[in-house]
């Protein structure tokens, strides 16, 4: 199987470089950062390879959602100089990931469903009733925070009480974040439903701008940070005991589960079939949510990004870049 070229990495000769699982960023001027979203994909806190067009989908879809939630909370977006790039406020991230769950689902150690099925009813400080069905709606959306893992580590579940008592976020700010997260999730559910999806759960990241004001950062309601299901026939599917089809990382999660991988040690390579299916789901989600056709950016992506960024931020000179060739990529490529 031959897949399109993917953007695995990019190098820009600018200060303050930070490298995450999916994004690379640099300081560009006072209190600004240039963020490039690559095609890398991660799951279980591990980078697993690349997925065609994934970075562009994430960057453009996040921008679409940031615009549609700006009345709820300010965000870090300043400009989109390229389909894969974002010019943002250089915010100071808060040390907690804010996960909001509307459904009893998931398969990881931080998910609700495995623990509920094991008999737990007090989860993340929330008392859940008996009789809930796998993948069914929770009585109300729940905030289930996790710590941010260091490189190679795993996110750990915490309660809202532990967030405050542990000094991660002060009480007044955390109360505001909880209200904001629930409002964002309600907006996400509404717009997702209009496109024929159920937003099952999602993750938000918040930060403080240089003046100390709260900002929504990173991404919002993308298939990397959210679990989307097709609403058509969902109730019947759940009633039959089946697992809903996800328009997100679901093909990757299933491939890892089939390989028996739970996040420890080197991850297995993703097949090109899994990568292609994941790309198709990301693009389908983008098109249905936005109502616009996805138009892949010019390739090679790295050269295009450098050109577009240099035009808008002349102080940023180019350096060697890396696009993954459009060929059959076996395990040796990852």
């Amino acid at each position: 199987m031959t897949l399109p070229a993917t953007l695995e990495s990019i190098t820009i000769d600018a200060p303050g470089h930070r490298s995450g699982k999916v994004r690379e960023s640099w300081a560009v001027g006072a209190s600004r950062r240039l963020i490039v979203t690559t095609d890398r994909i991660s799951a279980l806190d591990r980078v697993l390879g690349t997925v065609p067009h994934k970075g562009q989908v994430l960057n453009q879809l996040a921008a679409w959602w940031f615009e549609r939630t700006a009345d709820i909370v300010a965000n870090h977006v300043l400009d989109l100089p390229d389909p894969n790039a974002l010019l943002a406020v250089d915010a100071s991230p808060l040390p907690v990931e804010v996960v909001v769950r509307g459904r009893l689902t998931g398969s990881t150690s931080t998910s609700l469903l495995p623990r509920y099925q094991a008999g737990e009813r007090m989860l993340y400080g929330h008392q859940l009733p008996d009789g809930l069905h796998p993948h069914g709606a929770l009585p109300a959306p729940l905030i289930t925070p996790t710590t941010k893992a260091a490189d190679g580590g795993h996110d750990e579940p915490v309660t809202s009480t532990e967030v405050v008592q542990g000094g991660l976020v002060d009480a007044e700010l955390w109360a505001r974040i909880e209200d904001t997260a629930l409002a964002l999730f309600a907006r996400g559910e509404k717009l997702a439903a209009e496109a024929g999806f159920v937003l099952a759960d999602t993750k938000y990241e918040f930060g403080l701008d240089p003046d100390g004001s709260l900002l929504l950062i990173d991404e919002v309601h993308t298939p990397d940070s959210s679990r989307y299901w097709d609403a058509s026939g969902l109730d019947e599917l759940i009633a039959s005991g089946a697992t809903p089809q996800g328009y997100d990382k679901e093909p990757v999660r299933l491939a890892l589960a089939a390989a028996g991988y739970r996040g420890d040690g080197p991850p297995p390579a993703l097949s090109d079939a899994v990568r292609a299916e994941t790309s198709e789901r990301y693009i389908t989600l983008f098109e249905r949510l936005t109502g616009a056709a996805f138009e892949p950016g010019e390739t090679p992506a790295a050269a295009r990004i450098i050109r577009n960024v240099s035009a808008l931020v002349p102080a940023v000179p180019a350096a060697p870049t890396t696009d993954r060739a459009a060929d059959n990529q076996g395990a040796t490529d990852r």
Side-chain angles (χ1 to χ4, degrees):
M1 177 182 296
T2 300
L3 299 181
T6 56
L7 179 67
E8 184 173 28
S9 65
I10 182 168
T11 303
I12 293 175
D13 186 13
H17 177 234
R18 299 174 188 164
S19 182
K21 297 184 184 75
V22 175
R23 292 172 176 81
E24 307 285 342
S25 74
W26 300 263
V28 286
S31 303
R32 300 190 304 173
R33 291 199 74 79
L34 173 68
I35 303 171
V36 173
T37 306
T38 72
D39 292 325
R40 299 193 296 264
I41 190 162
S42 67
L44 300 175
D45 299 311
R46 297 288 185 270
V47 175
L48 306 169
T50 60
V51 167
H53 308 305
K54 175 177 174 288
Q56 182 180 341
V57 168
L58 293 184
N59 194 57
Q60 293 183 323
L61 184 57
W64 187 87
W65 276 111
F66 276 126
E67 183 178 353
R68 282 153 184 79
T69 56
D71 60 314
I72 297 173
V73 62
N75 58 65
H76 69 164
V77 178
L78 296 174
D79 189 23
L80 261 71
D82 180 89
N84 286 70
L86 170 70
L87 188 63
V89 176
D90 192 3
S92 300
L94 296 175
V96 179
E97 293 185 344
V98 184
V99 181
V100 181
R101 304 178 190 272
R103 295 269 171 164
L104 184 68
T105 193
S107 59
T108 68
S109 61
T110 58
S111 300
L112 297 182
L113 181 56
R115 296 169 62 183
Y116 187 88
Q117 290 179 322
E120 292 187 60
R121 293 296 180 266
M122 179 63 71
L123 296 167
Y124 291 92
H126 303 288
Q127 182 67 46
L128 298 185
D130 292 333
L132 297 180
H133 297 286
H135 316 299
L138 295 165
L142 302 179
I143 292 179
T144 61
T146 67
T147 60
K148 291 184 179 180
D151 290 344
H154 297 294
D155 297 341
E156 296 296 335
V158 290
T159 67
S160 289
T161 299
E162 289 169 338
V163 168
V164 173
Q165 291 184 348
L168 296 175
V169 182
D170 73 63
E172 183 177 354
L173 179 58
W174 182 248
R176 182 183 172 196
I177 288 172
E178 287 187 306
D179 289 343
T180 300
L182 292 175
L184 288 168
F185 191 73
R187 179 69 54 81
E189 286 184 309
K190 179 180 183 295
L191 296 184
E194 291 174 1
F197 290 110
V198 167
L199 178 61
D201 51 44
T202 194
K203 178 196 72 174
Y204 302 116
E205 295 205 36
F206 293 92
L208 302 178
D209 73 9
D211 295 328
S213 298
L214 184 67
L215 293 178
L216 181 63
I217 64 171
D218 191 51
E219 61 182 6
V220 55
H221 296 162
T222 75
D224 257 20
S225 62
S226 309
R227 197 187 313 263
Y228 287 95
W229 297 333
D230 199 318
S232 178
L234 180 62
D235 291 340
E236 294 80 4
L237 190 71
I238 291 174
S240 72
T243 300
Q245 177 177 337
Y247 283 80
D248 44 44
K249 298 181 184 181
E250 193 63 19
V252 173
R253 295 189 189 102
L254 293 175
L256 295 178
Y261 185 71
R262 293 289 181 264
D264 297 317
L270 297 178
S271 71
D272 283 350
V274 168
R275 295 170 61 228
E277 184 181 0
T278 304
S279 179
E280 180 181 353
R281 293 195 190 189
Y282 274 49
I283 291 171
T284 298
L285 179 72
F286 173 90
E287 293 184 332
R288 285 177 55 180
L289 283 172
T290 67
F294 178 74
E295 298 181 5
E298 172 193 330
T299 56
R304 183 201 74 222
I305 293 166
I306 289 293
R307 184 179 69 247
N308 289 339
V309 166
S310 296
L312 292 175
V313 190
V316 180
T321 61
T322 303
D323 272 293
R324 182 170 292 207
D327 59 9
N328 193 315
Q329 299 168 33
T332 55
D333 294 316
R334 292 184 291 281

